[in-house]
Amino acid sequence: MNTDLLVIGAGMAGLSAAARATRDGLRVVVVDVGEDIGGSARYAGYAWTAPTHEVMDAVNPHGDIALKRALVDRFDSGIGWIRSVGVECHDAVPILGFGRGHAFDTNQYVDLCRRLVTEGGGEVRLGTTTRRLLRSEGRIVGAEVEGPSGGEDIHARWTLLATGGFQGDPDLLATKIHPRAGAMQLRSNPHSTGAGYRLAETVGAATGPEDAGFYGHLVPSHVPFADTADFVDLSLYYSEHALLFNLDNERFTDETLGDHLTTIALLDQRESRGLLIADARVHRDWMVTAYVEGAVSVDKFALANKRGGRVGLAQELDELAYLPEEWGYDGAEIRARIEEYNAAAQNGSVAPGRAKDALPLDEGPWYVIECEPAVTFPFHGIRIDDRARVLDGNGAPIHGLLAAGSDTGGLWNRAYAGGLASALVFGLTAAETAAS
C-alpha cells in the first residue's frame, strides 16, 4: 500500500495531523494499537499554554528554545483549527495562574478528526500494531504493521510517530524517569507503552533530555483509580496552598510552584509518599473549589475519605500526635514544623520558600491526606525540531520521519505548560511538514 502520510497513533497529535493533512489534500492512513481512537485526549478538556515567550521562559527555563517558541506562536492557530472543524472552543480562562486556555469537547474533536480522514478517502485502522519502520536509501518510507487481517507493509512519503509516550510501560519509566517511577499509578490511557519511542530508537533517533521528569499530579495513597473520572477527581491540585511533609517529617520543596512540580519532587523522597496538610482557609478557598474556571468542583478531602484513603481531621494541631503509627510519621514533629512555619510566615523567613502563597496555616481544623505521585506522561522522549522532524544523534533530521505529542522530548524539562496544546500544535506542524 502507498500513501502520503502514515500516522502511528490515533490520539490528539496523530488525529490532528491526519485531519489537517487530509484537508490539505494528502492521502492518510492512521493505525493504532487500541480498539478506539482518542488516547488520553478522551480524558482532557482544556488546551492551554503560556501566553507569551517571556512567561514560557520563566516557567520552563530549560526547555528547548525553538520548541517553546513554536508552541507559543502557533497556539492561537491551533485553537482556530479546532473551531474550523466544527468544535466550539470557549473563551480563554486562566490556567495555573500563569497560563491561558480554552475548554472544548475533546471527544467531539477526535471523532470529527476521524470523520474528516475517512470521508477524505483515508483510513483509520484500530487494533493494529506497528512492527518496524521501513527504510530505503537513508529515508523512512513507511512501516510494517499487523492488524486483525494480518501483516502488511504501508509505504509512505512521511511517517508520524504519535503513540502517546511510554507512561504505560513500568520498565521504561524506571529506566528513563526514576527507579520508583514504574510503581506510580497511571492517570492516562494504558496503550501508551513506548511503541513510538522504541521505533525511533531502532533508526538512530536522538532521545532525551535526561532527568527531565514527568507530568502528573499528587493523589491519595492507597486509593486505586476506579475509572477515568478519577484522573481529575482524585488529583490533589490544592497542594499548591498546603504543606507537604516527607517520612522524615520535613518539608522538602516549594509547594506553591505547582502540584505537578511537587509531584516530581515527592517521587524522589523516601518511599515516594508524604503527608499533605491544609488548614480551614485552604479547605474553604482551594480544596472544595474548581481548579480551573468552569470545571466541576470536587471536595478532595471528602472523596479521599470515602474511598478509604489515609486521611485525618485535627481540630487542634496537638491532635496530629494521634496519627496512626503504621503510617510512619511523627505527628508531634509535624505539629512542631507547622508551628515553626506559621511563625516564619509572619516575618517572611519561610524555608523552603513559598513563592506564591506564604500565608500561615493557622486556622483550624487541619485536613490531612497522605499522598503519592501519579504519572500522566514523561518529559523524556524523541527529539524533534520545530517542524516536527525527528532528529538523529547529530541533530540532523531523519528523512521521512516525524513525531508529535507525548512521544517527543525536549519541550518540557521539569516544567509544564500544557500537554494537549503541544500535541495539537506539533500534530498540525507535522501535517504542514508532510504537505510541503
Side-chain angles (χ1 to χ4, degrees):
M1 179 176 193
N2 291 283
T3 191
D4 294 313
L5 175 64
L6 170 62
V7 178
I8 303 171
M12 184 71 179
L15 287 173
S16 295
R20 178 61 175 270
T22 300
R23 183 172 282 187
D24 288 342
L26 276 63
R27 174 164 170 73
V28 177
V29 176
V30 181
V31 300
D32 194 284
V33 70
E35 298 302 324
D36 190 16
I37 63 166
S40 295
R42 290 287 192 192
Y43 321 133
Y46 289 83
W48 73 277
T49 194
T52 66
H53 296 310
E54 292 74 19
V55 173
M56 177 65 82
D57 289 341
V59 300
N60 183 26
H62 305 299
D64 181 280
I65 293 175
L67 301 183
K68 292 191 297 183
R69 297 289 182 268
L71 177 56
V72 172
D73 290 343
R74 301 171 195 167
F75 177 69
D76 287 338
S77 294
I79 296 300
W81 160 259
I82 293 174
R83 289 172 171 151
S84 78
V85 303
V87 177
E88 179 186 7
C89 280
H90 296 275
D91 292 339
V93 296
I95 308 284
L96 291 187
F98 66 84
R100 64 177 176 86
H102 304 262
F104 70 103
D105 188 334
T106 55
N107 289 283
Q108 181 192 21
Y109 173 73
V110 295
D111 289 335
L112 283 173
C113 283
R114 172 167 59 179
R115 195 171 82 184
L116 281 171
V117 172
T118 56
E119 290 182 353
E123 296 183 45
V124 177
R125 303 183 185 185
L126 301 177
T128 300
T129 300
T130 303
R131 296 301 183 191
R132 64 184 181 95
L133 296 175
L134 304 177
R135 201 171 200 168
S136 176
E137 297 180 355
R139 183 181 182 88
I140 303 304
V141 294
E144 176 191 343
V145 304
E146 185 171 351
S149 59
E152 180 182 4
D153 287 352
I154 300 178
H155 295 272
R157 291 193 302 111
W158 290 93
T159 300
L160 170 62
L161 302 174
T163 65
F166 57 76
Q167 60 272 13
D169 187 302
D171 291 336
L172 272 177
L173 285 174
T175 302
K176 302 298 182 181
I177 304 302
H178 188 280
R180 287 195 297 274
M184 289 189 290
Q185 283 208 81
L186 179 64
R187 55 188 310 276
S188 168
N189 84 85
H191 301 302
S192 294
T193 56
Y197 184 88
R198 292 187 175 91
L199 288 168
E201 282 193 317
T202 65
V203 296
T207 60
E210 301 303 319
D211 197 34
F214 62 97
Y215 172 59
H217 285 290
L218 298 177
V219 297
S221 64
H222 302 279
V223 180
F225 293 140
D227 55 48
T228 58
D230 284 344
F231 297 167
V232 171
D233 291 349
L234 286 175
S235 293
L236 305 177
Y237 304 120
Y238 73 90
S239 75
E240 300 168 9
H241 305 277
L243 299 178
L244 182 61
F245 297 88
N246 59 20
L247 281 166
D248 296 317
N249 312 300
E250 299 286 349
R251 289 181 57 232
F252 53 89
T253 191
D254 181 349
E255 301 94 339
T256 71
L257 296 180
D259 179 76
H260 57 292
L261 300 180
T262 303
T263 300
I264 298 174
L266 182 58
L267 183 62
D268 282 331
Q269 299 300 303
R270 182 157 59 94
E271 297 186 25
S272 299
R273 59 188 177 97
L275 218 54
L276 190 64
I277 300 181
D279 70 348
R281 172 186 67 87
V282 174
H283 179 267
R284 178 179 62 248
D285 296 345
W286 302 102
M287 283 181 72
V288 297
T289 60
Y291 182 58
V292 177
E293 181 181 325
V296 176
S297 301
V298 176
D299 186 329
K300 305 291 186 177
F301 182 82
L303 181 58
N305 185 36
K306 179 181 179 180
R307 297 286 292 276
R310 288 180 166 180
V311 304
L313 185 65
Q315 296 297 332
E316 303 292 339
L317 279 176
D318 287 348
E319 294 177 14
L320 292 175
Y322 300 109
L323 285 173
E325 184 177 350
E326 63 268 22
W327 291 13
Y329 305 91
D330 186 325
E333 281 290 317
I334 289 178
R335 181 208 67 204
R337 299 290 84 76
I338 295 174
E339 291 172 341
E340 291 171 4
Y341 166 81
N342 288 338
Q346 299 291 344
N347 57 35
S349 60
V350 171
R354 284 173 62 87
K356 298 181 180 180
D357 184 351
L359 295 174
L361 270 68
D362 57 2
E363 182 183 343
W366 286 264
Y367 298 80
V368 179
I369 302 179
E370 188 185 59
C371 60
E372 62 187 13
V375 62
T376 307
F377 69 87
F379 295 151
H380 178 102
I382 305 162
R383 300 307 297 262
I384 61 171
D385 65 10
D386 64 352
R387 304 308 309 167
R389 298 178 298 183
V390 174
L391 303 176
D392 65 16
N394 297 316
I398 297 176
H399 299 299
L401 189 60
L402 305 164
S406 299
D407 276 350
T408 66
L411 174 59
W412 312 120
N413 193 330
R414 291 190 171 258
Y416 177 72
L420 208 63
S422 60
L424 169 67
V425 165
F426 288 103
L428 296 176
T429 297
E432 293 169 3
T433 299
S436 66

